[in-house]
Amino acid sequence: MVGERGLVEKKVYIETYGCQMNEHDSERMLRVLEGSFYLETKEPQEADLILINTCSVREKPEHKVYSALGRYKRVKEERGAIIGVAGCVAQQEGLRLLDRVPYLDMVIGTHAISILPDLLRKVESTGKRVCETGFDEKGTYLKTIFPTDSLPKVKSFVTIMQGCDHFCSYCVVPFVRGREKSRPSAEILDEIRHLAERGVKEVCLLGQNVNGYGRGLDQEIGFPELLSRINEIEGIERIRFTTSHPKDLSNALIKAFSDLSKLCEHIHLPFQSGSDRILERMHRGYSIVSYLERIERLRAFRPEMAVTADVIVGFPGEEEEDFNQTLNLIRKVQFDDLFSFKYSTRKGTAAAQLDDQVEEKIKQQRLVVLQEIQREITLRKNLAVEGRTEEVLVEGISKQSDQDMTGRTRTNKSVNFQGDLQLVGKVVPVRITKGFAHSLRGERLLNAS
Ligand code: SF4
């Protein structure tokens, strides 16, 4: 198809698995590909380029990739589409993927997004298959890729660091994303100013361990100071960040929640297990007492602070008693929501060597019990918001009804209410009329002062 610029435009379909970091990486891929005249399509069967952006953190990652590749084989045969695998599985499997899938054209490692157009050009012009999984020690892979005019949004992710030095015993991130690397603050602030000029109201700062921001960069500022400078940027109304490691949650960062008006009162603080014995085996570097102290301090500064977390059940050696301690922690903290997973082995990690693996059936039973307890807590918390007025940043039309708009409270709860498209990008007062397990219903207050 010939586009407005008189150039042949092609279509790219990206299938994304896993975390927000991966979602943002897919967005970065779309941005770099626009320079090569590839525009996004939501239909794989009309794509000239299909990218599968993978995640190793969730269960059965390789299995998912191979079944997706099987689905797209036909598009390759019918349209000659170029097929690539990106993300953590690409990084980990590398050439093995090309060996196993003869119709796969590209393997794009976690540090190769900025050179994706070069890799693509190579495939297009030579027909040769490419695999790029080197680690870029200088960190140029993190450089800003500015959005083009075709992607206006209310909120945007901004990567501030990548990789991790913690080596938790179950996690592949240090192996597939590399060691911790922060971006220079000037570059991050520039990117956010640019986003603000284009109408972005909320930024979510991304990294595997954002509170470690600045480590290893000469003469750089720390994470609380970075937040404070973003707080000054005109046009930005809300700041969020994810993910934080409890060990690195400093007093200065906790205090930032009371000092910075744009920093939203929500923190995602994974605890992974409520048992000190299991935390030690996970190499997490904190105790349950110290985790609880941090939550207490956060709530002392911001009583309305919403807290969400990640938790793993069935880590090797987890006994009934350890699991009960996890449930006790959940009841004590009263999380707003939890992302809960059954432990599953990741190749190359320390925990993969442990021989006291928990039976699958027990893991599943524990997960069901835990999720039911959390479901009740989340519902109770959402019901408690009924009758309150919340500031909602309006994001767009609700998925539930095209008569409704959807947005989020400062505490990151999703709210649906009757409204129109003119509200998109505005912060409006909404009185909450009903709390559900996963969202809130409300009505917009027209005459609120
Ligand atoms: S802190 Fe632990 S779980 Fe988080 S990315 Fe680093 S190694 Fe993985």
Side-chain angles (χ1 to χ4, degrees), residues 251-268:
N251 285 336
L253 178 54
I254 293 175
K255 191 166 171 296
F257 278 101
S258 74
D259 294 346
L260 305 178
S261 59
K262 297 177 183 175
L263 185 57
C264 291
E265 42 276 44
H266 167 229
I267 190 162
H268 186 72

Side-chain angles (χ1 to χ4, degrees), residues 38 61 73 78 96 107 155 223 292 420:
Y38 274 86
K73 188 174 179 207
E78 286 172 1
R96 270 194 300 267
V107 175
K155 55 187 200 175
F223 188 50
L292 287 169
D420 57 61

Side-chain angles (χ1 to χ4, degrees), residues 271-282 286-288 318-319 321-323 325-326 329:
F271 66 91
Q272 309 299 12
S273 169
S275 155
D276 283 338
R277 196 178 70 84
I278 297 297
L279 285 178
E280 212 162 292
R281 298 191 108 205
M282 289 175 162
Y286 54 85
S287 66
I288 287 307
E318 186 188 74
E319 305 278 351
E321 176 52 26
D322 300 303
F323 177 61
Q325 288 174 12
T326 296
L329 180 76

Side-chain angles (χ1 to χ4, degrees), residues 112-284:
I113 293 177
S114 56
I115 58 163
L116 175 57
D118 299 336
L119 300 177
L120 186 57
R121 220 169 297 129
K122 203 162 165 189
V123 176
E124 286 176 328
S125 59
T126 67
K128 286 199 179 133
R129 308 161 82 203
V130 295
C131 173
E132 181 53 65
T133 54
F135 280 137
D136 163 15
E137 298 305 334
K138 290 198 187 116
T140 40
Y141 65 99
L142 286 170
K143 75 174 193 227
T144 310
I145 303 169
F146 283 119
T148 61
D149 288 340
S150 59
L151 296 166
K153 291 173 48 185
V154 174
K155 55 187 200 175
S156 182
F157 293 119
V158 175
T159 302
I160 63 163
M161 52 91 65
Q162 240 204 74
C164 185
D165 290 349
H166 281 306
F167 289 91
C168 299
S169 63
Y170 53 84
C171 180
V172 287
V173 165
F175 307 105
V176 293
R177 294 267 174 185
R179 306 300 293 267
E180 196 173 286
K181 193 109 210 157
S182 295
R183 290 175 67 194
S185 56
E187 204 181 292
I188 296 169
L189 294 166
D190 259 5
E191 179 172 342
I192 296 177
R193 277 186 213 105
H194 181 90
L195 291 169
E197 280 162 17
R198 298 183 69 250
V200 167
K201 297 290 184 332
E202 176 181 308
V203 284
C204 180
L205 311 178
L206 283 183
Q208 264 81 26
N209 177 20
V210 287
N211 15 13
Y213 174 78
R215 274 198 292 246
L217 283 182
D218 282 346
Q219 297 172 341
E220 258 306 344
I221 55 177
F223 188 50
E225 178 58 24
L226 178 69
L227 288 170
S228 157
R229 293 189 192 180
I230 297 170
N231 199 61
E232 299 301 311
I233 295 178
E234 209 177 310
I236 295 298
E237 295 186 24
R238 289 181 171 189
I239 308 167
R240 302 185 190 277
F241 58 82
T242 193
T243 287
S244 308
H245 193 301
K247 195 167 76 167
D248 296 327
L249 187 68
S250 65
N251 285 336
L253 178 54
I254 293 175
K255 191 166 171 296
F257 278 101
S258 74
D259 294 346
L260 305 178
S261 59
K262 297 177 183 175
L263 185 57
C264 291
E265 42 276 44
H266 167 229
I267 190 162
H268 186 72
L269 197 62
F271 66 91
Q272 309 299 12
S273 169
S275 155
D276 283 338
R277 196 178 70 84
I278 297 297
L279 285 178
E280 212 162 292
R281 298 191 108 205
M282 289 175 162
H283 303 166
R284 289 289 289 172

